Amino acid sequence: MKQLEKLIDRVVARVNVNLRKFSFDAEPFAKGVVPFKQMLRFNAFYGVTSHHPLHVNFKNSSLAGSYFLGKCFTDNAVLYKTDVRGDELKRKGDTILFQGVEVPVEKDEEIHIKDSYLIKALIHNYSHDPEAPEEFLIRNTLASFYSNIHGALVEGCYIAPFATVDLTSLHGCKVGTFSFVQSASDLYHLEIPDGTIWMNGETFEFKYTYDPEVLARYIKNVPGGKPEGVLWDFMESRKDDYSDIYSSAVSTTPVTVCSKSALNRYAYVSGDTHIHENVLVSQRAYLDNAWMGPGTNAQEHSYVINSRLEKNDITAHGAKIINANLGERVFVGFNSFINGKPGMPVSIGAGSMVMPHTIIDVEEPLQIPERHAVWGFVRNAEDLKTHSISLDDLAKVTGEVTLGNLRFSGSGYDLVHGFEHRIDHILEANGAYFGDVNRVRGHAQAGHMISYNTLQPYLSGKMKGIFPTIDIQP
């Protein structure tokens, strides 16, 4: 598998050059982390719909176990069990609004992954770079286990395990383990420490930092090996549940799903699970004894176990909900971990927001009131006092607020109403509002019409582990 080794060496060299300011060596986090034999075990999958015809170019790449939807291109890239979901890419004739200026889209947008190594990562949404509205570019980048690249152009970056980059552009940045970054401006040559939750808007800044000892208990990056901690163990203990789904050529539906909802062919469902109308369950989602009310969703790498989601609830990429009850229109952010226990459930009131990368691991029953924002590390009602705030109170903030490890400054109104607008957009895009009055179809109505094509790598010869070059452009 010489060619595959060369590809990984190529990515490591390019990442190291871009991150030389930090004296960072990507090799221990790339080489040997995934055994080469794994690259031969898994096929890749390309989804096709009437709105997403075959339009791909895979060149000199390894795509083991990865999933593609939309206009996707790879060059000299290694993708291992990575989801590349391009169902929200911009179309020719669209316009984007940037600082009051309308920028026209001259051609259909494409996802282009070049000279990068992505390990069990997620790519979704569309480019939010106004200078490159037609290309969602990921170049010279190493993204590790369960990281999310969501609407974020990245060049020359290292994105550590369970980290998220959201709605921004990063150039030569090192993003730490379990960190979340969202910025209104491009970021250049920054190092984001482990466990940093940073939203840097035009009119506000929200910044929370995990206690290093707490973070290490839940997730720790290990050079030369795989991550460790509660979150890693949670994922690893359930990975074999997907094996039958990916090895079978025949799709089965373990629960009844109406025509207004979509249960992805590559989602896992077990137990007494109920899926109502206008529900989206994405690939690699995991439902076990889950009650999915109208308009709810479970996105990629999300888990809903022994829980009830009432209506129009959002389970964002990588979020985990265990032994919990959610009221209407609750948002659970990227890679959050809501871990109720039998007899000690977590109840979240309607309209509340669990901020990205929140850890709620209870030692007693916990009730989160309606319309509250929650963040950080919460175990009990006492922790909640310094890790939550009423959305109405937050909206009144115009200066600086300190709550525990949280530092907030600027306009609370803009953060709250920006989040609420985004939640509304997500629900509409996912088809939560589809009905007799609103006939706008979303992913929940279109997702059950996806057909899948299987791609296989070379199993021998000098190209062993590499997938054949494919160029299909209608």
Side-chain angles (χ1 to χ4, degrees):
M1 305 178 76
K2 297 287 187 183
Q3 191 63 25
L4 183 54
E5 289 184 63
K6 288 181 179 179
L7 276 183
I8 295 176
D9 287 341
R10 176 190 182 113
V11 174
V12 166
R14 288 169 179 258
V15 172
N16 285 348
V17 166
N18 280 274
L19 298 180
R20 60 191 181 278
K21 172 182 176 180
F22 309 114
S23 300
F24 175 72
D25 184 7
E27 183 170 337
F29 302 100
K31 299 190 71 173
V33 173
V34 178
F36 283 153
K37 64 181 181 180
Q38 293 288 90
M39 301 293 184
L40 298 177
R41 286 186 57 198
F42 302 107
N43 297 327
F45 308 91
Y46 188 88
V48 177
T49 75
S50 58
H51 298 289
H52 303 94
L54 278 171
H55 197 148
V56 298
N57 187 317
F58 300 132
K59 181 180 179 182
N60 194 34
S61 297
S62 177
L63 311 172
S66 294
Y67 174 104
F68 299 86
L69 178 65
K71 190 174 179 181
C72 301
F73 297 82
T74 68
D75 295 298
N76 298 303
V78 179
L79 279 66
Y80 177 70
K81 292 188 176 181
T82 284
D83 296 305
V84 183
R85 186 177 147 200
D87 52 357
E88 294 185 359
L89 295 175
K90 298 183 286 293
R91 303 289 183 91
K92 180 180 179 179
D94 290 347
T95 59
I96 61 173
L97 188 65
F98 180 74
Q99 296 181 351
V101 178
E102 287 191 350
V103 180
V105 178
E106 300 297 333
K107 63 177 183 178
D108 289 349
E109 184 182 5
E110 65 186 47
I111 294 176
H112 192 175
I113 303 170
K114 182 176 176 61
D115 298 312
S116 295
Y117 186 11
L118 313 180
I119 307 170
K120 292 190 177 181
L122 167 73
I123 316 300
H124 186 221
N125 204 242
Y126 56 86
S127 169
H128 283 70
D129 182 358
E131 297 178 10
E134 292 93 6
E135 185 176 38
F136 187 163
L137 179 65
I138 299 161
R139 181 166 59 190
N140 302 337
T141 289
L142 171 60
S144 195
F145 295 93
Y146 305 113
S147 57
N148 300 305
I149 301 174
H150 189 265
L153 180 152
V154 291
E155 295 185 286
C157 294
Y158 172 64
I159 304 171
F162 292 84
T164 298
V165 293
D166 183 40
L167 309 187
T168 189
S169 297
L170 294 90
H171 311 268
C173 293
K174 181 174 177 282
V175 183
T177 304
F178 202 63
S179 290
F180 173 89
V181 180
Q182 180 191 106
S183 178
S185 58
D186 288 10
L187 302 179
Y188 292 89
H189 304 292
L190 289 181
E191 181 173 13
I192 311 300
D194 294 344
T196 299
I197 316 305
W198 184 38
M199 286 176 277
N200 183 33
E202 293 180 4
T203 59
F204 64 84
E205 182 180 43
F206 178 107
K207 195 169 187 179
Y208 175 87
T209 305
Y210 275 91
D211 179 279
E213 291 186 6
V214 170
L215 183 65
R217 186 159 72 248
Y218 284 90
I219 187 66
K220 180 172 65 174
N221 204 4
V222 180
K226 294 183 178 179
E228 297 175 355
V230 172
L231 295 179
W232 178 256
D233 293 343
F234 177 91
M235 305 293 279
E236 287 292 285
S237 68
R238 291 165 175 81
K239 68 178 184 180
D240 290 342
D241 292 339
Y242 292 96
S243 58
D244 289 344
I245 298 172
Y246 280 88
S247 61
S248 174
V250 180
S251 175
T252 59
T253 304
V255 295
T256 301
V257 181
C258 74
S259 61
K260 294 181 181 179
S261 295
L263 171 61
N264 191 276
R265 160 80 172 81
Y266 298 107
Y268 174 82
V269 179
S270 69
D272 185 14
T273 290
H274 170 83
I275 297 177
H276 213 286
E277 65 180 14
N278 296 346
V279 172
L280 173 67
V281 182
S282 298
Q283 75 277 3
R284 277 189 253 269
Y286 188 108
L287 305 182
D288 184 9
N289 292 328
W291 200 93
M292 303 294 293
T296 59
N297 66 61
Q299 298 179 14
E300 292 83 357
H301 292 150
S302 68
Y303 291 71
V304 182
I305 301 172
N306 299 330
S307 296
R308 181 184 180 97
L309 279 59
E310 200 63 44
K311 183 178 181 181
N312 292 345
D313 296 319
I314 296 171
T315 311
H317 309 291
K320 302 151 193 72
I321 302 172
I322 308 105
N323 293 308
N325 299 298
L326 277 57
E328 292 188 16
R329 201 179 171 89
V330 172
F331 174 82
V332 180
F334 293 98
N335 277 341
S336 289
F337 185 54
I338 300 176
N339 190 28
K341 311 293 195 311
M344 293 189 293
V346 177
S347 299
I348 304 179
S352 286
M353 302 176 187
V354 179
M355 305 300 276
H357 294 228
T358 295
I359 297 175
I360 302 175
D361 194 3
V362 299
E363 55 189 22
E364 64 183 31
L366 187 68
Q367 174 71 54
I368 297 169
E370 294 184 359
R371 287 190 54 75
H372 271 62
V374 186
W375 60 85
F377 181 52
V378 177
R379 297 160 297 176
N380 49 46
E382 188 65 25
D383 288 340
L384 203 58
K385 293 178 181 178
T386 54
H387 291 79
S388 70
I389 188 172
S390 159
L391 293 178
D392 295 330
D393 288 342
L394 179 57
K396 297 174 184 175
V397 173
T398 56
E400 295 188 6
V401 172
T402 299
L403 283 170
N405 287 348
L406 171 69
R407 304 291 185 272
F408 179 85
S409 62
S411 171
Y413 178 91
D414 288 353
L415 184 150
V416 171
H417 287 270
F419 241 113
E420 289 180 331
H421 176 76
R422 185 174 180 185
I423 289 169
D424 199 56
H425 167 75
I426 293 170
L427 290 170
E428 183 173 26
N430 284 340
Y433 300 144
F434 181 76
D436 294 334
V437 177
N438 186 339
R439 303 303 295 175
V440 178
R441 297 167 65 86
H443 303 318
Q445 290 73 48
H448 64 277
M449 297 183 291
I450 302 174
S451 61
Y452 298 93
N453 298 269
T454 303
L455 311 174
Q456 289 184 299
Y458 292 107
L459 299 178
S460 61
K462 66 178 182 179
M463 299 295 285
K464 186 177 180 179
I466 302 297
F467 280 64
T469 293
I470 298 173
D471 186 359
I472 302 174
Q473 301 186 43

